[in-house]
Amino acid sequence: MTTLTREEIVRGLAENRESPNGAVRNAHAEALAGAAETSGDRALFREALDNLINAYLYSSESSRMLVPFARLLQEYDKDPGAFSHWDAHSLFWQFKWVATAISDSPGIPLESATGWLDEMERRYRIAGYSERPVREAELWLADAIGEDERAERAFRRWLAAERDEMSDCRACELNSQGQYTVLHGDDAEALELWKPVLDSDLTCAEEPHRLLATSLLPLLRLGRADEARFHHLRGYRMARGNESLLPSVGKHIEFCALTGNEPRGLEILAEHAGHVAPLANLDDRLAFHGGILVLLRRLRELGHGRTPAVPYEGSPRTVDELYEVLYAGCLDIARQFDARNGTTRVSDRFLAQVGREPLLAGLPLGVRSAALPQTASAPVPAPRGPGPALTAAAFTELVERARRARNLGHPGTDALWAEVAVRLDALPEADPLVRADLADQQALAAGRSGAKEASELLSAVRDEYGALGVAERAVLAELRLAGVAAQSGAAPTEVRALLRVALRSAEALDSAEPLRARRIALVELSAIRLESYLRSVETPDGDGHHDHHGQLAAELADFVAAHEGTLADLVSEAEEMLGRVALTRGDPERAVPLLAASAARADLAGRPWQAVDPLVLRAGVLMTLERPEEAEAAARSALEHAAEVTDAETQGVVRLTLADILLQRGEAAAESAEHALAAAHWFDQAGLTADGGAQARLLLARAYAGDGRSAEAAEVLQSALADLLEHGDQQAVSVREFLGDLLHRLNEPRAAAEQYLLAAEVAKDWEDPRPQAGLAHSAADTLSDAGLAVEAAAAYERALELHRLTGEVPVAEVRILRSLAWLGLREEVTSTAVSGARKRMEEAAEVLEAALAADPAAPELRSELAQTWHQLAQVLDRHVNTNEQSYEASDADDEEQALADLGAEPAARLSPAEVDGLRLEEIELWDRAARVYAELGPDHLRDRFQCLNNAAWTEQERGDAAAGATRVTALIDEARALPEDDVPDWLLPSAERLLAQLNDTE
């Protein structure tokens, strides 16, 4: 075995602390602890044990911390004086983790667990610590072994004990207090306790991550489904992929199973497939696998037992197979706990969890999830039987309702006729007219779907109605035959011939027939619509410059004039068509009143659902005309009118329209999110997940972002990303940039930079280089934030090149140059590096001065120039300060070690004259910047004060604090001479405090 040197162990420990949590980090920590013990360096060994305990804690192997903790405790008992104050504090702090690990390890006898708890109490008492952590540990041990009275006493003593430096953070304590409250059936009280954590007022390394998951079922039980949705989206993002949070991941999976989101649950399970194997921490395994089992049981109940799940121990598993193996394993763990604890409490709670029934039939989450696969084991709905027989009168009433709905064009017509079809088979005699009506519905459905047999079915219906003497229905069948012919691409002459037949049949209806005039008008309106199509086929607009739209508009206007006082619903259709023609002809102002009139006539006709389309279209037109208040009113009216609409796509469109308008108005992001969420759900129901559903999710993400919910926005957007990227390069760039912005806000700079760079790649061949320049700039900023200096510099250089191609964005050029200047100083501050940074800053100033030559009064350019001088002075100040630090290091006993600690090679030091020259230049630059800020006015007062502050202290460093004090005094006098309302509250106190500090240094 290779022996590590002390330096290698020290370096390895530093690297291990920064490594991702998990088995790899643990194995490395174990090796380092072994090497440290072998080295004989007891201090190093203690450090390695401490590191190993921490590695285990934040992994799925937390129960393994017992051995290294016992070793570290032995080291303490041998020589407490060898432990610094911080080392001793860390050891006692870890006692709490160990107490929990012992309670959660069924292999440790109850007597030993109780003994460790007693030992913790004794040591805390001797060390002078509060009993608060001890009582919390006692609470959970007592709860596990069924000693409820003892648990309640421990709970009360825990709350009563004083908080001290050994107390858990407030976030973790509130988590535990709320969990105990939930066990006693008070979800509302628990959520009130958790509120500061859930609102992120109190946080720590694993909060609110854990509580967001723990709160899901209490919220659902209290009917607070919207909050539960937010907690799931935000919380799962925080828990995803974190080994120590696998129990929380299990809770998110369980939440999906109990809210009708089984596909989402399967996706989460798949993302954590590598963690489904047996975990070393049995309590974590029970919690994680317990949540998975709730999902698997639901999938089995839905007939998906043979659906592939995830592998287990290297073998592929179906839902059924994974359920059986996890259930057996969890039940065995629960019984191990029971055997140790002398109670069935753990297994009782496990069985109750696995047997939970759904809390909601369906809760839209907003994220895209694939539908469950169709499998052979999935239940196939059997053809519906005749059902309970209806009386003749009841059946007659059902048929009449279906006919009334059909005559009105009601959205529920199909459902009513489906019910008639079911009931008809139970009757001893079949009414021929009812059967003809059912055949009519079948033919109509075939025509809508473009089925080949539509013409044949319609012809049969026409003949059947004719034979029964229902001529007005036969006319409709003939008219539909013309429509089906046009839809199938028949020759215009054939379509026109069918229209003439329909018109003659309508005109031939008995004059006493109430529907005669309506049938004639309907044929006329249909002919107008079809003739427009036929003319476009025969003579495209490009051939002979035929004004097809003008002719169509004239015909529709004549129709409206002829029937305005009678057939409101048909006139409504004609006016909607007129509105659409006006839009096609580029006249939105003309379209607005036509669409409004169409909606009003639909209302007048008692057909509110017919008003939905013109209202939605009108809302969109009004937004393009920059009339947002009217647009919102139209969209809200459309939503109200859609109450009886059964078409899922229409419901999605209505809600998406209103959501978009609200978001564009910038006043109702939360309400916009509600409508976008509903729109996504309806588009999914319509099978349009990748189309309307993707756009709804994009809007939902923007609404969440506008409401300050960046985590939820990112989760929704990422789920729909693949669909959105299929909608053209413009949207692909926009979506990736938006996702990059969200990830940047969430402090995920590497992921953000990736999105910006992918967007820039799409935009690289565009004629306008500005979008790519902006994306490269954003990528550079995030790469810099991620500490990837080389990659950031390359991205900045590319952005600079692109901006210069446009020659239009000097401010962007300048900011890139300043960023490159600072990037060059990140690794080391040497004369060479400072020279490079100075060159970049001076180049930035030259760009601005050239731009100001063309526009001397431009405030933004002047502000940027002042900022450039300000930052150049800061660069020089950094050089001077680093030089001073190198002098201090040279006084150390070991100069080389001091330089190594500074992370720099020995560099040429500045002479006193050089230092003074740099300080004078700093002062001159800050003065120059301050003068510009003064000219720019009150908005730049804080920048001006910062320059004055820096110059004053630099004067003090030169040994002339009086000069600095003079500057500050002048500003104070200037401020006091101004009207009181013109002086910010912070200015005089800050300036007077600065003056006092400068005077104290003299």
Side-chain angles (χ1 to χ4, degrees), residues 36 104 175 332 347 402 411 420 453 465 507 625 698 786 840 880 882 916 922 935 953 959 964 988 990:
D104 292 345
N175 182 335
D332 177 65
S347 57
V420 170
E453 66 273 16
Y465 275 133
E507 292 173 339
L625 294 174
L698 174 57
R840 294 287 193 181
V880 170
T882 303
D916 194 54
E922 290 173 38
E935 293 167 1
W953 282 113
L988 281 172
S990 299

Side-chain angles (χ1 to χ4, degrees), residues 218-365:
L219 285 168
L220 289 177
R221 288 192 291 261
L222 291 172
R224 294 158 63 175
D226 288 343
E227 291 174 73
R229 178 194 301 114
F230 286 134
H231 288 196
H232 168 65
L233 294 177
R234 178 178 165 218
Y236 176 60
R237 185 174 190 84
M238 300 174 86
R240 177 194 281 129
N242 192 325
E243 269 199 9
S244 67
L245 293 175
L246 288 176
S248 296
V249 172
K251 290 173 182 176
H252 285 285
I253 292 174
E254 180 178 6
F255 164 79
C256 292
L258 299 180
T259 56
N261 288 289
E262 294 83 4
R264 166 77 168 169
L266 265 181
E267 290 173 356
I268 295 175
L269 175 58
E271 288 184 5
H272 294 82
H275 294 104
V276 178
L279 305 177
N281 185 317
L282 297 186
D283 188 67
D284 280 3
R285 192 199 309 183
L286 191 62
F288 180 41
H289 289 180
I292 295 172
L293 283 166
V294 178
L295 171 67
L296 298 176
R297 181 183 64 80
R298 283 291 301 145
L299 290 169
R300 297 175 86 191
E301 291 173 352
L302 294 171
H304 289 275
R306 296 181 187 175
T307 296
V310 296
Y312 185 81
E313 294 187 317
S315 300
R317 307 281 179 160
T318 64
V319 167
D320 281 337
E321 291 167 344
L322 187 60
Y323 179 87
E324 295 299 337
V325 68
L326 294 188
Y327 183 85
C330 286
L331 195 58
D332 177 65
I333 293 170
R335 287 171 176 166
Q336 289 182 49
F337 274 108
D338 291 346
R340 183 195 73 170
N341 299 340
T343 176
T344 61
R345 172 155 291 180
V346 175
S347 57
D348 288 345
R349 286 176 176 172
F350 165 70
L351 294 172
Q353 176 189 18
V354 176
R356 281 178 182 145
E357 292 299 319
L359 293 169
L360 286 175
L363 175 65
L365 298 178

Side-chain angles (χ1 to χ4, degrees), residues 556-602:
L556 288 169
D558 289 343
F559 181 88
V560 170
H563 301 285
E564 192 168 8
T566 53
L567 305 171
D569 62 313
L570 295 182
V571 174
S572 170
E573 287 186 38
E575 286 176 323
E576 181 184 346
M577 291 171 63
L578 272 170
R580 293 181 183 276
V581 171
L583 289 175
T584 303
R585 302 178 78 184
D587 190 356
E589 292 286 0
R590 170 66 179 146
V592 168
L594 287 167
L595 294 170
S598 172
R601 289 190 197 278

Side-chain angles (χ1 to χ4, degrees), residues 139-203:
L139 160 66
W140 293 116
L141 180 61
D143 175 75
I145 63 180
E147 294 185 2
D148 293 338
E149 290 184 5
R150 179 184 176 188
E152 182 63 22
R153 286 196 304 272
F155 181 67
R156 297 301 169 195
R157 290 178 65 185
W158 171 27
L159 298 184
E162 291 184 4
R163 286 183 54 80
D164 67 0
E165 58 183 304
M166 279 299 123
S167 299
D168 280 344
C169 77
R170 288 290 296 144
C172 289
E173 283 202 335
L174 289 175
N175 182 335
S176 292
Q177 291 167 19
Q179 286 194 58
Y180 183 72
T181 304
V182 168
L183 288 175
H184 287 73
D186 196 340
D187 291 332
E189 174 63 21
L191 286 164
E192 189 62 30
L193 282 169
W194 291 335
K195 191 175 186 304
V197 185
L198 295 172
D199 291 346
S200 294
D201 295 331
L202 297 173
T203 62

Side-chain angles (χ1 to χ4, degrees), residues 232-234 236-238 240 264 268 271 366-368 701 709-720 739 742 746:
H232 168 65
L233 294 177
R234 178 178 165 218
Y236 176 60
R237 185 174 190 84
M238 300 174 86
R240 177 194 281 129
R264 166 77 168 169
I268 295 175
E271 288 184 5
V367 290
R368 187 203 201 285
R709 298 180 178 274
S710 297
E712 292 96 317
E715 196 69 15
V716 168
L717 188 60
Q718 285 178 309
S719 77
L739 181 55
L742 290 172
L746 293 169

Side-chain angles (χ1 to χ4, degrees), residues 356-653:
R356 281 178 182 145
E357 292 299 319
L359 293 169
L360 286 175
L363 175 65
L365 298 178
V367 290
R368 187 203 201 285
S369 292
L372 289 172
Q374 293 296 317
T375 67
S377 62
V380 179
R384 192 170 173 184
L390 292 179
T391 64
F395 180 75
T396 300
E397 170 58 24
L398 174 62
V399 171
E400 287 306 311
R401 282 193 289 120
R403 286 172 177 160
R404 286 195 299 271
R406 179 189 64 189
N407 294 339
L408 278 173
H410 193 281
T413 299
D414 291 345
L416 285 168
W417 282 115
E419 184 69 15
V420 170
V422 170
R423 302 297 184 183
L424 183 64
D425 292 337
L427 296 176
E429 295 182 6
D431 182 342
L433 183 55
V434 174
R435 291 206 178 276
D437 287 337
L438 289 172
D440 188 27
Q441 283 297 117
Q442 183 183 4
L444 180 59
R448 288 174 186 155
S449 64
K452 293 180 180 179
E453 66 273 16
S455 293
E456 182 181 344
L457 291 172
L458 284 167
S459 296
V461 166
R462 176 198 60 197
D463 295 343
E464 193 168 356
Y465 275 133
L468 292 169
V470 191
E472 60 90 8
R473 297 297 306 171
V475 170
L476 288 179
E478 289 178 337
L479 182 57
R480 288 171 186 157
L481 278 168
V484 167
Q487 184 179 350
S488 61
T493 54
E494 179 184 345
V495 177
R496 290 189 178 105
L498 289 169
L499 284 170
R500 286 194 295 272
V501 169
L503 182 58
R504 283 197 299 270
S505 296
E507 292 173 339
L509 290 172
D510 192 303
S511 60
E513 167 59 56
L515 293 173
R516 181 177 182 275
R518 179 178 182 79
R519 291 293 179 260
I520 294 171
L522 181 60
V523 174
E524 290 174 353
L525 183 59
S526 299
I528 291 171
R529 182 186 294 111
L530 288 173
E531 272 295 339
S532 175
Y533 162 72
L534 296 175
R535 284 193 297 266
S536 69
V537 170
E538 291 175 324
T539 312
D541 285 341
D543 296 342
H545 304 287
H546 289 280
D547 184 10
H548 297 309
H549 295 124
Q551 190 172 349
L552 174 59
E555 291 169 350
L556 288 169
D558 289 343
F559 181 88
V560 170
H563 301 285
E564 192 168 8
T566 53
L567 305 171
D569 62 313
L570 295 182
V571 174
S572 170
E573 287 186 38
E575 286 176 323
E576 181 184 346
M577 291 171 63
L578 272 170
R580 293 181 183 276
V581 171
L583 289 175
T584 303
R585 302 178 78 184
D587 190 356
E589 292 286 0
R590 170 66 179 146
V592 168
L594 287 167
L595 294 170
S598 172
R601 289 190 197 278
D603 271 341
L604 181 65
R607 303 184 179 203
W609 53 87
Q610 190 177 317
V612 172
D613 284 349
L615 284 169
V616 168
L617 184 56
R618 183 170 181 268
V621 174
L622 287 165
M623 284 301 290
T624 64
L625 294 174
E626 298 183 356
R627 293 157 63 180
E629 295 84 0
E630 295 174 75
E632 181 182 336
R636 290 192 185 279
S637 181
L639 185 59
E640 293 172 5
H641 284 77
E644 297 177 78
V645 172
T646 57
D647 180 67
E649 182 179 0
T650 300
Q651 291 285 3
V653 169

